[in-house]
Amino acid sequence: QVQLVESGGGLVQAGGSLRLSCAASGRTFSNDGMGWFRQAPGKEREFVARINWNGGSTYYADSVKGRFTISRDNAKNTVYLQMNSLKPEDTAVYYCAAKRRYSTSEALTYDYWGQGTQVTVSS
């Protein structure tokens, strides 16, 4: 059974940092493209960052470029999202997602999702 479990969310002041983790099990993680998405109350789920199966390519939403970094450790079956210079508008539930090989920015293309972790940034 495929499982993605996010952790690392919490409450932080504007300008602070958080590191989210997503631990995968139940499939060959090193074959998967991984994405981070987020959903704020009353808004649609949006793309944040993605990384291909081999970690060779990363992509970011314009709103987080230069502040967030996605990475992966295939030996630990884990993908990370380092979030720096956080802003109140980054407040959302953050989800990781997995799909075969190449990541995309489209949520509908992902096969597996975690349960989400809440990130709240106070001003």
Side-chain angles (χ1 to χ4, degrees):
Q1 183 177 352
V2 178
Q3 253 195 323
L4 301 176
V5 180
E6 301 98 334
S7 62
L11 173 64
V12 63
Q13 287 189 331
S17 297
L18 283 174
R19 187 197 197 200
L20 305 184
S21 299
C22 172
S25 61
R27 57 189 281 115
T28 306
F29 177 77
S30 58
N31 288 343
D32 283 345
M34 301 295 295
W36 284 99
F37 293 79
R38 66 187 181 186
Q39 188 166 18
K43 295 188 176 181
E44 293 188 353
R45 190 168 298 190
E46 65 174 1
F47 164 72
V48 176
R50 60 185 176 93
I51 187 167
N52 284 336
W53 63 277
N54 61 1
S57 298
T58 57
Y59 304 87
Y60 299 91
D62 287 343
S63 59
V64 307
K65 205 171 293 183
R67 300 187 298 122
F68 290 12
T69 302
I70 188 171
S71 62
R72 66 189 296 158
D73 185 340
N74 286 348
K76 295 183 178 180
N77 288 356
T78 302
V79 64
Y80 304 97
L81 185 68
Q82 177 67 43
M83 306 187 296
N84 298 329
S85 302
L86 282 161
K87 304 175 181 180
E89 51 263 44
D90 294 318
T91 295
V93 177
Y94 283 70
Y95 299 89
C96 70
K99 66 180 297 295
R100 178 82 172 163
R101 299 298 273 188
Y102 296 100
S103 62
T104 75
S105 303
E106 300 296 328
L108 290 177
T109 64
Y110 286 81
D111 300 309
Y112 303 98
W113 290 84
Q115 82 290 347
T117 186
Q118 176 70 47
V119 171
T120 303
V121 184
S122 62
S123 57

